[in-house]
Amino acid sequence: MTKAFNVDWFKQCFIPEVKRHLRGKGLDFKVLLLADNAGGHADDLSYDVVQIEFLQPNTTPLIQPMDQGIIHAFKALYMLNTLQYLFEAMDSDQDLSLKTYWREYTFASCLQNIQRAIQEMKPETLNACWKKKPVARGNAQPLMRSISFGKMALMM
């Protein structure tokens, strides 16, 4: 995500959708938006009655363990596929050097490995990540009690 895309999403999607949602619930337009500190998030977003809070660095994996588990599984599968194709290429061409292989490794090769890693991800892995979510274990209540903004909409 780029900062320009983030600003566009905020103005064109987030604000209108939250307004529609709150209007449908009969609630005032008063919003807290929590954002992680990803480089693509614009840090100068503003809108009346929208409070934007950025999480401290490196806190996202602590409150989003599902992301952490899925990312870990994806990286392992991606690396496995990448190394598997490297070994196959070197087995089929004894003169192929590691340097040559990586020079010939294209963006298309990368995308193919990404696609393979996603396709190879097992449903059991995704289900296991869901089970690790704090909400599933009932640990989200202390976090939510610590945020005292009355009526709010929290969209992630």
Side-chain angles (χ1 to χ4, degrees):
M1 178 183 294
T2 65
K3 290 184 181 190
F5 181 74
N6 183 236
V7 170
D8 187 56
W9 166 83
F10 181 74
K11 291 178 180 177
Q12 304 300 322
C13 297
F14 181 77
I15 295 297
E17 283 297 314
V18 172
K19 280 183 176 181
R20 185 184 60 77
H21 177 77
L22 292 175
R23 193 176 321 116
K25 298 270 187 196
L27 298 172
D28 294 336
F29 185 71
K30 186 175 181 182
V31 179
L32 168 66
L33 173 63
L34 295 177
D36 63 18
N37 61 346
H41 290 164
D43 55 5
D44 58 349
L45 295 176
S46 66
Y47 195 87
D48 287 342
V49 298
V50 174
Q51 182 175 344
I52 302 168
E53 296 292 334
F54 288 90
L55 299 173
Q56 293 296 316
N58 304 315
T59 56
T60 302
L62 300 174
I63 61 175
Q64 295 178 332
M66 185 176 145
D67 285 356
Q68 187 179 29
I70 291 173
I71 290 168
H72 177 75
F74 168 78
K75 284 181 178 179
L77 288 168
Y78 176 82
M79 187 57 66
L80 179 71
N81 285 327
T82 302
L83 293 176
Q84 181 180 354
Y85 286 101
L86 168 64
F87 294 143
E88 289 172 4
M90 294 184 88
D91 282 346
S92 66
D93 182 358
Q94 299 296 320
D95 296 327
L96 181 67
S97 71
L98 191 56
K99 189 175 186 178
T100 303
Y101 175 81
W102 287 117
R103 281 194 176 150
E104 294 174 359
Y105 191 83
T106 64
F107 189 68
S109 306
C110 177
L111 291 176
Q112 288 170 344
N113 281 341
I114 289 171
Q115 183 180 22
R116 278 188 216 99
I118 291 170
Q119 289 171 341
E120 292 173 4
M121 191 152 320
K122 296 178 181 175
E124 298 84 29
T125 302
L126 299 175
N127 289 336
C129 292
W130 274 106
K131 290 177 185 173
K132 292 181 182 177
K133 283 188 65 153
V135 174
R137 294 192 314 249
N139 293 339
Q141 290 304 321
L143 174 64
M144 294 310 293
R145 278 195 293 267
S146 70
I147 302 171
S148 58
F149 293 101
K151 293 180 180 178
M152 68 177 177
L154 177 60
M155 299 190 69
M156 296 178 144

